[in-house]
Amino acid sequence: MSIGHTLLGLLESGPRHGYDLKRAFDEKFGHDRPLHYGQVYSTMSRLLKNGLVEVDGIEAGGGPDRKRYAITEAGVTDVHQWLATPEKPEPYLQSVLYTKVVLALLTHRDAADILDTQRSEHLRMMRILTDRKRHGDLADQLICDHALFHLEADLRWLELTAARLDKLAQAVTR
């Protein structure tokens, strides 16, 4: 996820302080990975330097001055271009799981055990996500569906690989 673009997009609804941006980000996108304040302020500093935001006001307080940021026209254009650019599909050709299975076969370990353990872990995570989806709002349901579909694809791969283990062992140990 591009944190900078996300913060810029949040600023399109109006100027905000860094604290407000962090809170909005965490509420909408950071359920599982909230932003650190330092990450917000370093990102805002970079966006300011690049002309994508400007300081809309400064308020003195008990601590450091609080800057209110506003998106610039260049920032709006940047967000528009980012949203219009499709994400590169990840083909997962460098899978750690695949590497573990092949190394298990090469070192004469039980690759079926690795697949079984991974299957159990995937099913455990699917139960957690299904429960979260059941109790979540629409946004949470959609992000859980996204994760569940990826886990289902992984499970299909685990089953296919388990069915082909003997052939894979022959192919990699020649």
Side-chain angles (χ1 to χ4, degrees):
M1 172 186 304
S2 171
I3 293 169
H5 287 110
T6 306
L7 294 176
L8 283 172
L10 290 171
L11 281 172
E12 282 200 43
S13 65
R16 298 183 190 208
H17 295 96
Y19 173 83
D20 297 326
L21 284 168
K22 179 205 176 337
R23 197 172 35 145
F25 181 97
D26 289 351
E27 181 182 307
K28 299 288 185 197
F29 311 106
H31 293 288
D32 297 311
R33 200 177 253 169
L35 285 180
H36 297 286
Y37 284 104
Q39 196 171 11
V40 172
Y41 292 111
S42 65
T43 301
M44 295 312 296
S45 177
R46 188 181 78 251
L47 295 173
L48 185 63
K49 179 180 150 193
N50 292 335
L52 301 176
V53 298
E54 60 191 8
V55 176
D56 185 58
I58 299 176
E59 299 170 11
D65 291 344
R66 292 183 47 181
K67 293 178 184 174
R68 188 175 56 243
Y69 298 96
I71 191 167
T72 63
E73 283 302 314
V76 171
T77 300
D78 199 57
V79 171
H80 178 77
Q81 289 173 344
W82 179 68
L83 290 173
T85 303
E87 291 297 308
K88 180 181 176 189
E90 295 184 35
Y92 301 104
L93 294 176
Q94 294 295 321
S95 167
V96 173
L97 185 54
Y98 172 78
T99 301
K100 286 183 174 186
V101 169
V102 171
L103 282 176
L105 293 170
L106 288 172
T107 59
H108 308 289
R109 291 182 171 91
D110 192 348
D113 281 349
I114 291 170
L115 293 171
D116 288 342
T117 300
Q118 193 63 50
R119 184 181 304 105
S120 295
E121 187 61 19
H122 270 61
L123 292 171
R124 184 187 71 76
M125 180 56 67
M126 290 176 83
R127 285 190 295 275
I128 290 169
L129 289 168
T130 300
D131 187 57
R132 177 176 163 181
K133 179 181 160 180
R134 195 174 301 125
H135 297 98
D137 61 11
L138 180 59
D140 215 29
Q141 291 170 13
L142 288 171
I143 197 66
C144 286
D145 279 338
H146 186 264
L148 285 165
F149 292 149
H150 281 276
L151 290 170
E152 286 174 8
D154 286 350
L155 281 175
R156 286 195 313 269
W157 181 85
L158 289 166
E159 295 301 324
L160 179 66
T161 303
R164 294 179 174 174
L165 262 184
D166 290 339
K167 287 183 181 178
L168 181 60
Q170 291 173 359
V172 299
T173 57
R174 282 191 224 171

